Amino acid sequence: MHADLSRITHRPERHYSAVVAQQGRVQLDADANEQTAIQLFQARTLAADLIGAHGGPHGATGFKIDLRGGPHELDDLVIGGGRYYVDGILCDATRPRPGTPVPTATAPKEDREDEEEAADGDTPSAPAASETWTYWDQPDGHRDPERPGDRLPSQFPYLVYLKVWERLVTAAEDPALREVALGAALPDTAARAKVVWQVLPLPASELGLDGDNPPADDIRTAFDRWAQQAAAPGCRLAARSERPDHADDDPCLVAPEARYRGPENQLYRVEVHEGGTAKDATFKWSRENGSPTFPVDELDGTWVQLASLANDDKLSLHVGDWVEFVDTGYASRGEAAPLLRVVEVDLPGRRVRLSDEPAPGVGRRPELHPFLRRWDHQEAGRKTVRRGDRPGRLRHGAVPVEEGGWLPLEDGVEVYFEAGGSYRTGDFWLIPARTATGGVEWPTDRARRPLLQHPSGIVVHHAPLAWVHGEQAVPDLRFAFRPLATGIQAADAAAQTQGSGGVGTLSTGAAGRVGPQQPRSQTTAEAEAQVDEQGVAD
């Protein structure tokens, strides 16, 4: 999450159930964020334990898939509205209804004239509102029909599945989050975590299944195996702080024995840019967790008109900085376009000139809220290369991954990539650096050796939806569950006279039947037999 954070303290393995505030203490963002993380973890774990890996409520199960196509157009999928839970995470496919505008008769005269011109055919009318999403217009899919890789497979069969993860949204991407009463000179306030879902196809060849229509259980088993491999992290990193060679030349802003030489506390973010094996993978890093962002008002070639520049000089843009051009579609697709270097800054005009134009399809649509994200790595110059080291060479603006050795970031902070890793775009690690200790916060063993850690994210979840093996042939692979609550039956006269103190001996079953009181403790087999007898389960 690219937010201006001090650190992330939530550790599920420590089994904390709540954050308890104390009087007269400093309030930190990490404490409030950990309380939110604890509640989310508990709620989603409970939902997954009760529902299972995935499922939807009976009567409102979302993401029903129907194939829609034609001889002269691209195939499409209709995504039914409703709710579905994946590993306890709620995914809502309900399409918001459009609002109702003020009637034309009460609108100003100039607005009525514009509407009359539009009705005459000068402007095409908007399409009728739909109650369902489709493969091409799903809210976070951002599929492009012009990209062959985005189209549905041309050969049957294939699996349609749900991909779910969370990403952070700030006021740079959603201006409605900013409180305008605070003024443009002040920074934004809290960010938001958003559940992102995408309906995507998976060719049957990747599941290793034979036949056009194998049994549903075989499809689910093969998909679970594929999903586990797709979600499993394939790389590890360690971090440490070492006294840099130039420490004696620095002014004494921190203790002379400090290994971390930065003048301020920082939260370093190391993020994979281009994925693949070590020979192809690159990474970028930020000392501010990637939080410095600059909303874009207009793009003209290599010149970018910004909505604002940071008031703090250390958080602003300078010549030589590397930036990533981002918008909602780019972030949702998880792409890795080349990073761009700032070559000129026009402070009075709030403009910057970049080393090249942004990648096609990024930053051209204002409704996707484009912005620049600043990264802090730099290409190593010959004067900073130590004896025996190779001069740094960036690849598409990012740092090439080198495994099996310590790589310096800055001010004594170093990272180590484990050999044999497989990297995915967006994988990241967070490294808090503190001036009070002159080091970084990173888990170590008893000998104080840094421990290798899997990425902190991105955590991706998957669920199968449908198996498409021909026209009008879409077997459903979803699960559904029924509510637990039922009506309370009124006790008859005979039941009221039994027992003492008004305590009856009859109980109302889950299906509304009245019968003998069952023992409170049952074995699993007894409970399942009772459920089957009462007809609760389908």
Side-chain angles (χ1 to χ4, degrees), residues 70-214:
H72 303 294
E73 61 183 16
L74 297 176
D75 285 347
D76 199 358
L77 299 173
V78 178
I79 305 171
R83 300 181 300 279
Y84 207 68
Y85 293 83
V86 181
D87 291 334
I89 301 174
L90 171 61
C91 304
D92 194 344
T94 304
R95 186 159 189 160
R97 293 181 177 274
T100 303
V102 175
T104 305
T106 62
K109 180 179 179 181
E110 56 272 15
D111 292 345
R112 296 199 303 270
E113 292 176 352
D114 293 341
E115 293 182 6
E116 291 174 358
E117 292 179 1
D120 291 337
D122 295 339
T123 304
S125 59
S130 172
E131 295 184 355
T132 59
W133 299 103
T134 71
Y135 174 76
W136 294 110
D137 72 358
Q138 54 182 306
D140 294 306
H142 299 282
R143 303 291 99 181
D144 186 355
E146 299 299 326
R147 296 188 181 189
D150 284 357
R151 300 173 185 172
L152 294 171
S154 58
Q155 295 182 349
F156 300 117
Y158 60 86
L159 179 77
V160 178
Y161 70 96
L162 189 61
K163 179 180 179 181
V164 183
W165 75 98
E166 280 187 316
R167 67 181 185 88
L168 197 80
V169 177
T170 65
E173 189 174 348
D174 185 0
L177 297 180
R178 179 180 291 275
E179 174 52 73
V180 296
L182 298 177
L186 294 178
D188 59 349
T189 55
R192 304 294 188 273
K194 177 182 179 180
V195 174
V196 178
W197 59 260
Q198 293 178 343
V199 173
L200 300 173
L202 181 66
S205 58
E206 298 193 27
L207 296 176
L209 295 173
D210 297 328
D212 290 342
N213 192 21

Side-chain angles (χ1 to χ4, degrees), residues 9-312:
T9 58
H10 177 53
R11 301 291 183 271
E13 66 275 8
R14 296 179 182 175
H15 308 296
Y16 295 143
S17 60
V19 175
V20 181
Q22 301 184 80
Q23 63 177 349
R25 287 358 183 238
V26 176
Q27 299 297 308
L28 299 177
D29 63 291
D31 295 334
N33 292 335
E34 182 174 355
Q35 177 61 53
T36 301
I38 289 173
Q39 291 176 313
L40 270 179
F41 177 79
Q42 292 175 341
R44 290 173 175 175
T45 300
L46 176 62
D49 289 343
L50 296 178
I51 298 171
H54 56 89
H58 182 74
T61 306
F63 297 93
K64 184 180 186 302
I65 300 300
D66 291 310
L67 179 65
R68 181 173 65 187
H72 303 294
E73 61 183 16
L74 297 176
D75 285 347
D76 199 358
L77 299 173
V78 178
I79 305 171
R83 300 181 300 279
Y84 207 68
Y85 293 83
V86 181
D87 291 334
I89 301 174
L90 171 61
C91 304
D92 194 344
T94 304
R95 186 159 189 160
R97 293 181 177 274
T100 303
V102 175
T104 305
T106 62
K109 180 179 179 181
E110 56 272 15
D111 292 345
R112 296 199 303 270
E113 292 176 352
D114 293 341
E115 293 182 6
E116 291 174 358
E117 292 179 1
D120 291 337
D122 295 339
T123 304
S125 59
S130 172
E131 295 184 355
T132 59
W133 299 103
T134 71
Y135 174 76
W136 294 110
D137 72 358
Q138 54 182 306
D140 294 306
H142 299 282
R143 303 291 99 181
D144 186 355
E146 299 299 326
R147 296 188 181 189
D150 284 357
R151 300 173 185 172
L152 294 171
S154 58
Q155 295 182 349
F156 300 117
Y158 60 86
L159 179 77
V160 178
Y161 70 96
L162 189 61
K163 179 180 179 181
V164 183
W165 75 98
E166 280 187 316
R167 67 181 185 88
L168 197 80
V169 177
T170 65
E173 189 174 348
D174 185 0
L177 297 180
R178 179 180 291 275
E179 174 52 73
V180 296
L182 298 177
L186 294 178
D188 59 349
T189 55
R192 304 294 188 273
K194 177 182 179 180
V195 174
V196 178
W197 59 260
Q198 293 178 343
V199 173
L200 300 173
L202 181 66
S205 58
E206 298 193 27
L207 296 176
L209 295 173
D210 297 328
D212 290 342
N213 192 21
D217 289 343
D218 293 350
I219 298 175
R220 292 190 179 102
T221 300
F223 177 80
D224 290 344
R225 185 167 53 248
W226 174 89
Q228 289 177 1
Q229 295 176 354
C235 57
R236 294 193 294 181
L237 175 142
R240 71 179 184 183
S241 55
E242 287 293 317
R243 183 177 172 85
D245 291 344
H246 59 81
D248 294 334
D249 301 329
D250 291 344
C252 189
L253 299 177
V254 293
E257 68 276 8
R259 295 165 295 158
Y260 168 59
R261 303 291 297 181
E264 297 181 358
N265 299 321
Q266 304 289 359
L267 180 61
Y268 285 89
R269 181 189 188 94
V270 176
E271 181 175 318
V272 175
H273 188 63
E274 293 185 70
T277 59
K279 66 182 182 65
D280 300 320
T282 60
F283 72 96
K284 55 210 174 188
W285 62 264
S286 166
R287 66 179 69 94
E288 305 286 348
N289 190 29
S291 61
T293 55
F294 308 88
V296 172
D297 280 344
E298 185 180 358
L299 173 64
D300 183 9
T302 59
W303 279 99
V304 180
Q305 180 72 48
L306 302 177
S308 63
L309 287 168
N311 295 328
D312 190 336

Side-chain angles (χ1 to χ4, degrees), residues 369-389:
H369 305 294
F371 61 91
L372 297 180
R373 186 186 305 282
R374 193 195 75 186
W375 297 94
D376 296 321
H377 61 272
Q378 296 290 334
E379 189 164 11
R382 294 185 180 276
K383 294 182 180 180
T384 62
V385 177
R386 296 175 294 182
R387 182 177 302 177
D389 289 348

